[in-house]
Amino acid sequence: MKDVYITRIAKFLPNDPVDNDGMEEKLGILDGKTSKARRIVLRNNRIKTRYYALDDKGKVTHNNAQLTKEAIERLCDDDFKIQDIQLLSCGTSSPDQILPSHAAMVHGFLKNGNMEINSVSGACCSGMNALKYGYLSVKAGQIERAVCAGSERSSTWLKSEVYEDEIEHLKELNENPMLSFNKEFLRWMLSDGSGAVLLEPDPKGKVPLKIEWMEGYSYAFELEACMYAGGDKEENGHLRPWSEFPANDWSKKSVFAVKQDTRLLGEYILEKGVNSLKLTYEKYGIGPDDVDYYLPHISSYYFKDGLYNEMKRQGIEMPLNKWFLNLEKVGNVGAASIYMMLEELVLSGKLKKGDKILLHVPESARFSYTYAYLTVS
């Protein structure tokens, strides 16, 4: 088996940063009224700026595949060209279409010749699972240059027009034309961007990061869906897919809007996250003392203290001086967030040879968790 190193890392954030006051102008106002939920959500998530692939008039500037292409091209220079990529592995929770696959569409924009592609679906963990496929491919010696990416283009899923038919339908029924909090919550949480890494079997570059191992867990066997799109949740917890709805109900029920069961989120996301982290520590014989930089993907600063306290409760407290976050500046970019955190840490100049980095990515869709342990070489 080969060693595997992250030798290059890049990100792409579209257009200018959008502050909290500019969000509704970009995404649109529902039923002519400014959102009360927006203020509540923003107070808790404490995100100050984020990025949307939308221009000042709300028109799309990049689709998801184009965002991913931009990050990948930023990996390249005279020493590493896009034609040198042997494997492209991409993860996202917001693909531009059902078919062709996301990675196929990215490859179509790259136009860099024949190569293997891999598309990973899911939510935030999809970016890490894309990385794991590339990691295992290089480790097995099948290839020597894998590019892995995580990206999201959530903004078009969050625009007011996605919900307009539902609001009008509620008016026709003489009901209060207000979206449920579960549907509106994520409008003020998610944003756009992409990140990419190059994996190679040799420690090249200024700050090569050796991937020691990657690990994943799922609690879907005991918990129902928490974040979902393309379906609707029934009272018994069953997720009814879009394909079982009449086509004229898709817009009336905002079936394709992304939704979050905030009750389930608050009840389980931290407990299962720390439980899986504890299992990881036990499997690899490490603990908080073996980590110099801890990069947790949290969707909101609301969860930071809760995560720390849950670690303390389960006996694996991670000192806060080891945490590295950039949520406040770039927003919650789902599958791309962990790439963006790692890229910023690498560029910070803080890392020194021998430092250990732990990546921790939760996914609330149906409670999955992925980990990677890196050594600065």
Side-chain angles (χ1 to χ4, degrees):
M1 290 290 183
K2 303 280 189 179
D3 289 336
V4 184
Y5 298 86
I6 296 173
T7 58
R8 294 175 182 235
I9 185 165
K11 72 172 184 293
F12 177 69
L13 292 164
N15 305 313
D16 295 325
V18 177
D19 64 19
N20 291 348
D21 292 332
M23 294 180 75
E24 276 190 297
E25 184 179 346
K26 287 281 188 180
L27 299 179
I29 294 172
L30 297 175
D31 196 32
K33 303 168 187 173
T34 58
S35 170
K36 294 179 180 178
R38 180 179 71 89
R39 293 189 292 274
I40 297 169
V41 175
L42 291 174
R43 184 171 67 243
N44 285 321
N45 71 26
R46 287 165 44 196
I47 299 170
K48 293 183 178 178
T49 54
R50 76 284 294 149
Y51 295 78
Y52 295 131
L54 303 169
D55 66 15
D56 291 339
K57 296 181 179 179
K59 293 183 178 180
V60 172
T61 60
H62 305 77
N63 66 22
N64 193 332
Q66 289 169 325
L67 290 173
T68 311
K69 176 194 78 96
E70 292 289 340
I72 292 168
E73 288 182 339
R74 281 160 174 75
L75 294 173
C76 301
D77 57 21
D78 291 339
D79 295 322
F80 176 72
K81 300 178 174 62
I82 59 170
Q83 289 79 12
D84 297 326
I85 303 171
Q86 296 172 313
L87 165 67
L88 176 66
S89 183
C90 301
T92 188
S93 59
S94 52
D96 298 313
Q97 61 282 308
I98 298 173
L99 288 172
S101 75
H102 175 56
M105 298 306 292
V106 176
H107 189 203
F109 282 115
L110 289 173
K111 299 187 182 302
N112 60 334
N114 206 341
M115 64 175 174
E116 181 184 357
I117 61 171
N118 174 56
S119 288
V120 181
S121 65
C124 304
C125 286
S126 64
M128 285 284 275
N129 290 333
L131 177 64
K132 188 168 185 178
Y133 188 91
Y135 161 66
L136 293 175
S137 297
V138 175
K139 192 170 186 64
Q142 286 197 325
I143 55 163
E144 292 191 338
R145 292 176 298 278
V147 165
C148 307
S151 64
E152 302 293 354
R153 208 281 300 270
S154 302
S155 56
T156 47
W157 295 34
L158 307 173
K159 292 184 73 176
S160 57
E161 60 204 46
V162 173
Y163 310 92
E164 283 173 355
D165 280 359
E166 180 178 357
I167 289 172
E168 290 303 314
H169 182 60
L170 289 171
K171 286 180 179 178
E172 291 172 8
L173 297 174
N174 293 318
E175 295 181 11
N176 185 7
M178 182 180 292
L179 279 185
S180 66
F181 187 72
N182 285 0
K183 288 183 180 177
E184 192 177 358
F185 175 72
L186 289 173
R187 289 195 81 208
W188 317 117
M189 294 285 287
L190 304 176
S191 52
D192 302 343
S194 58
V197 298
L198 171 63
L199 303 184
E200 297 182 278
D202 300 303
K204 301 175 182 177
K206 294 180 181 178
V207 189
L209 305 173
K210 182 182 178 184
I211 302 178
E212 302 289 352
W213 46 258
M214 296 189 70
E215 192 70 27
Y217 302 87
S218 167
Y219 292 86
F221 70 98
E222 62 181 12
L223 296 173
E224 63 192 54
C226 178
M227 186 175 79
Y228 50 97
D232 212 1
K233 202 170 181 181
E234 298 179 343
E235 287 187 10
N236 64 1
H238 174 72
L239 198 60
R240 185 182 175 194
W242 63 271
S243 56
E244 295 179 8
F245 284 90
N248 61 1
D249 277 354
W250 292 349
S251 58
K252 288 180 182 178
K253 296 180 181 294
S254 304
V255 169
F256 289 99
V258 60
K259 299 171 271 290
Q260 180 92 69
D261 187 327
T262 52
R263 176 190 57 81
L264 272 179
L265 181 71
E267 189 171 353
Y268 292 111
I269 193 67
L270 299 179
E271 176 195 335
K272 298 302 184 184
V274 177
N275 175 256
S276 61
L277 177 58
K278 196 170 184 178
L279 292 173
T280 303
Y281 283 161
E282 291 169 357
K283 179 174 181 176
Y284 291 98
I286 66 168
D289 290 343
D290 301 293
V291 176
D292 297 294
Y293 291 94
Y294 172 58
L295 277 59
H297 166 51
I298 55 174
S299 60
S300 165
Y301 278 101
Y302 172 81
F303 291 116
K304 183 181 178 182
D305 289 343
L307 179 56
Y308 174 79
N309 290 331
E310 183 64 22
M311 287 177 172
K312 194 172 182 180
R313 188 185 72 81
Q314 295 198 33
I316 53 170
E317 177 185 352
M318 180 69 73
L320 289 171
N321 62 358
K322 295 184 177 185
W323 294 46
F324 186 89
L325 299 165
N326 63 358
L327 178 69
E328 183 180 88
K329 295 181 289 183
V330 303
N332 178 5
V333 203
S337 287
I338 197 65
Y339 289 79
M340 293 182 180
M341 274 191 281
L342 189 59
E343 186 260 1
E344 187 169 324
L345 177 60
V346 167
L347 292 181
S348 71
K350 295 178 179 181
L351 295 175
K352 62 183 185 299
K353 189 171 183 177
D355 280 347
K356 302 290 187 180
I357 304 167
L358 179 64
L359 311 182
H360 178 175
V361 179
E363 174 179 300
S364 64
R366 199 155 177 178
F367 299 98
S368 302
Y369 301 85
T370 52
Y371 299 90
Y373 193 54
L374 316 176
T375 302
V376 180
S377 299

